[in-house]
Structures are given as structure tokens and as C-alpha cells.
Amino acid sequence: MRKALLLLAVALTMATGTQAKVRLPHLIGDNMVLQQRTDARLWGWDKPGAKVTVSVSWTDKSYSTKTGSDGKWAVSIPTPEASYTPHTITFDDGERVTLKGVLIGEVWVCAGQSNMEMPVKGFGQCPVEGYNQEVVNARDFKGIHYVKIPSVMSMKPLEDANCEWREIGPTTVGDASATGYFFAQVVNKALDIPIGLVLANKGGTRVESWLTRDNLQRYTNEPLDTMAIVNGHEWDYHRQLVWGNGTFNPILNYTVKGILYYQGCSNVGDPGNQYSERLQLLVKQWREQFGLGEIPFYFVEIAPYNYSTIDGDNGARLREQQFIASKNIPNSGLVCTNDLVYPYESSQIHPTQKKAVGQRLAYLALNQTYGMTDIWCKSPSFKDMRIDGSTIHIHLNDEYNGISRFEDIQGFEVAGEDRVFHPAKAVHFWQPGGEYWSETIKIDCPEVEHPVALRYCFKNFQPGNLKNAAGLPLFPFRTDNWE
């Protein structure tokens, strides 16, 4: 009996000690990257009323706080300028917990569905171009770390996720988001500072998958009853609410620089302007949840794909919605991917050319966030049109004083009053007028004597070949609003 009581006392002592020790979310761990030159948030749990002291290796100053009645605590720690110097952070409530290998740099979230989730080593039957060379070259990029948040569903917002930070190297690069990693390569080289990637995404998800219960209730007709959510979609990855609760909510206390987003395929076919409105709502929600102001939001146009029929336009309409959103979301930018598919990839939802996607996101960030204005970061877009008899002249935005070709421009189609589109011939044209001649694209179609509408690559799978001086492709567009 005495032995049993003694064992019980030891067990209670051990349990009490375990509860008293500072507990950190998995996101706060060894090898993490903290955002430079800001007040980085650190948080965790302890017994109610406990005093927690945080000390860091880059300053002699320490920071103390007390847990609330719920056992939660949080502090904000001023961070220095970025460097490759590994730091330590110690949490002390009477028992010390020390994190090692902490770097100070730039932290970006990689959000969205499978084309963002797609790792450098690819998916089954979906390779990423250049994988072997990326393994060989992995040591060339020091200071790139990433953490993959497990894809978890939850009816209630979760506060923690079972994850760990990993340093890019030959044995770890394959599991990093390809789009995110190629973004990090460029920013790392351009700024020569560490880059941290927080990978919080899930393949197949819709924009509604990431909206909060409050936003879904206020702005959508999505059912929020548990069984309605479970039974409402054939595939669990289409479910509303639950992926944001389980996969994104655990990162919202972390201090980040901005968000990279690649999503939209699962929303193809949505009516009217619904996708654009809900994407704008999601960006507003995330910015409010992070509480870091109007952080940058750079996102990716869905790539050409057949969506059951190559010549259909439901995919093109979703791209149009993304373009509209890019004009309405402040401090944002959209990457065009019209040229980043091979002719044989019409039925490949995960195109192999991910390096250029990440690079183009990086060009946006370097120009618009980091002030490197010599980098040309925008794709050209339709500006205006003038019809002269059977000929159409158009001007483009963001040409950077040049287009990629003067002849054999592919992708334009023209329609008359009958609303039937025909392939058109397009060439570069210097249009006289004013002090300088104006650079235009001249478009003719023998089948249409009296054109009224113009489209460029406005089909599910129709890669074009017109680019600006930066080598960035023209955004698909239409001048009509026909249903």
C-alpha cells in the first residue's frame, strides 16, 4: 500500500512538472525564421498565473509575461536586421526551454490548393521540371527554411499543428512547395538574406474552404451544419470552413511579411463575379486575422487546362475573375501563367513548369515590396481597342517599351454581330499620330468584315505567344460580356 502511494505521489509530481513547463506551438521551434526588423510574436501555454521570461541571443534584454487563467501567454520580441547568424531563444518559467538555429529574415506564407502544395519532387504522374538539378543545387541557397503545416480539417479553429521547420538541402528540398521554393530562391539571391516559408495549403480546396464561419454565414449561402458540410461535397477537400480552421488558423499568430496564393481550379464554374468577391473577402479576412496591416498578397492565375473541353471558356472566366480581383485587392499582384504549359498538358492539372511561377511571384515581391524598381514584374494587359473597318488596333498596358514578336502572334480571335469567333491574324504595327508613333497590335480576320468583339486566349486551354519586353505573357482577355 505504501509503495502504491509512493508511486502515485511520484506520478503526480511528474504530471505537475509537465504541466508547469512552458509549452510552445510546434510552429515556434528549432530552425524557424523570424521576420526581421519587427516585433515578432511568440506565444504558448503554461500553468495559469505562471511567469514566463523570454531571452534571445541578439540582445541582453529579456521579456517577461504572465499566463492568463486559460494558461496562455504571448510576448512580442523586437528582431534585428536579417542575417545568417543562427540565434537561440530561451523560455523560462523556472524550467528552461531553448530553441536553436533560429534565423532572422523574411517570412512568407504559401497558401492555396495543389499547385501551391505540389512539392519540388512532384506528385504521382505529375513531375516538376528540373527536379534532379534542384537537388544538386540545393546547397547553393543558404538560409532557406520551410515548415509544412499538416492538411487537417476541423469544425473549430485549431491553435497548434504538428509541424517542424526544415532547412533546405539535398535531402529536404524535394518536400518543399515547388512554387514557394522557387520564389525563395530568387528573393534569397536578390536580397542575400534568409527566407522562411510557411506552407499552409491543401490540394483541391475551394476559396470557401479557407473562409471563417462568420464570413461564410454573412456573405455566402454555404451550409455550416457539420453533417451538411460533410455530406455536401463528394470530395472532402472541397468542404467549406474546415481547412481554414485546421490548416491555416494555427499560423495566424506568427509574424509574416506577406502571402503567396495559388488557387482557383476547384472554383471553376462559379457564377458571375462570385469567385472574385469571395477571394477579396478572404484576403481581407487573412489580413485582419494576422493583424499586421495590409500585408502583400501575390497570387497566381490558374494555368490553361481542358476542364472537360479544350474550347470551353469556364476556366477562362475564372481567370477573368482573378484578374478583376487583382485590380480590387490593394497591395496585390497577379502572375500570368498562360505560357507555362506544354501543348501535351491540356489534361494535366499540375503543369510541370513551376520554376517560372515562383520566379514571377518573386519579381512582384522584389519590385512592389522590396523596392527593386528596376525589375520588371507585370504581365501586359489589354488597354483599349479601336475598330477601323475590318481591322482592329489595340494598345496594351505594361509593355516595358517592347513586345516579344512582330509577326506570327497566336491567340487572337474576332467575332461580328453573330457572336461567332474566328482565329485572327495579329502583327505589330506602328500607328502614326501625336508627337510619337504609337505601338499597337493590328488584328485582321477575313471571316469577319465588321468586327465587334475581340478575345485573346479566352478558352480553357489556349496558350498564346505574345509577351512584353520582360518576357512576361499577355493576360488572356475579352472585350465582350457575352454569356
Side-chain angles (χ1 to χ4, degrees), residues 36 39 115 159 190 219 222 224 242 257 269 322 330 349 357 405 425 438 463:
Q36 68 166 330
D39 291 328
N115 273 298
E159 295 182 325
Y219 299 106
E222 299 282 339
L224 294 172
V242 294
K257 185 67 172 184
Q322 292 179 308
I349 196 67
V357 179
R405 58 182 61 234
K425 180 180 180 181
S438 174

Side-chain angles (χ1 to χ4, degrees), residues 171-192:
T171 62
T172 60
V173 66
D175 292 322
S177 160
T179 295
Y181 175 57
F182 294 132
F183 166 88
Q185 281 185 344
V186 176
V187 178
N188 173 253
K189 284 295 185 182
L191 303 182
D192 193 21

Side-chain angles (χ1 to χ4, degrees), residues 119-193:
V120 175
K121 65 183 179 185
F123 292 137
Q125 308 305 317
C126 304
V128 169
E129 195 169 67
Y131 165 69
N132 278 344
Q133 197 59 45
E134 296 307 327
V135 174
V136 172
N137 294 341
R139 297 190 193 279
D140 293 344
F141 297 93
K142 61 180 179 177
I144 299 178
H145 294 191
Y146 70 93
V147 56
K148 178 68 173 82
I149 309 302
S151 300
V152 173
M153 291 183 290
S154 176
M155 287 301 299
K156 296 182 178 179
L158 300 183
E159 295 182 325
D160 195 11
N162 187 14
C163 59
E164 64 177 356
W165 284 87
R166 306 179 75 185
E167 181 179 0
I168 285 291
T171 62
T172 60
V173 66
D175 292 322
S177 160
T179 295
Y181 175 57
F182 294 132
F183 166 88
Q185 281 185 344
V186 176
V187 178
N188 173 253
K189 284 295 185 182
L191 303 182
D192 193 21
I193 58 176

Side-chain angles (χ1 to χ4, degrees), residues 259-335:
I259 301 171
L260 310 175
Y261 188 71
Y262 194 165
Q263 186 276 333
C265 298
S266 291
N267 285 96
V268 166
D270 284 3
N273 201 36
Q274 178 175 292
Y275 179 79
S276 177
E277 292 171 352
R278 293 183 180 181
L279 181 58
Q280 294 172 61
L281 176 63
L282 178 61
V283 176
K284 182 175 182 290
Q285 169 192 298
W286 278 347
R287 285 171 171 170
E288 290 174 351
Q289 289 178 309
F290 275 111
L292 298 169
E294 203 171 80
I295 57 177
F297 180 81
Y298 300 129
F299 62 119
V300 183
E301 176 190 72
I302 60 171
Y305 176 71
N306 63 25
Y307 293 106
S308 300
T309 169
I310 288 178
D311 290 331
D313 66 4
N314 52 347
R317 290 172 185 269
L318 194 284
R319 294 183 201 105
E320 184 178 58
Q321 290 297 299
Q322 292 179 308
F323 187 81
I324 292 169
S326 74
K327 299 304 177 184
N328 293 332
I329 299 171
N331 198 16
S332 73
L334 178 64
V335 164

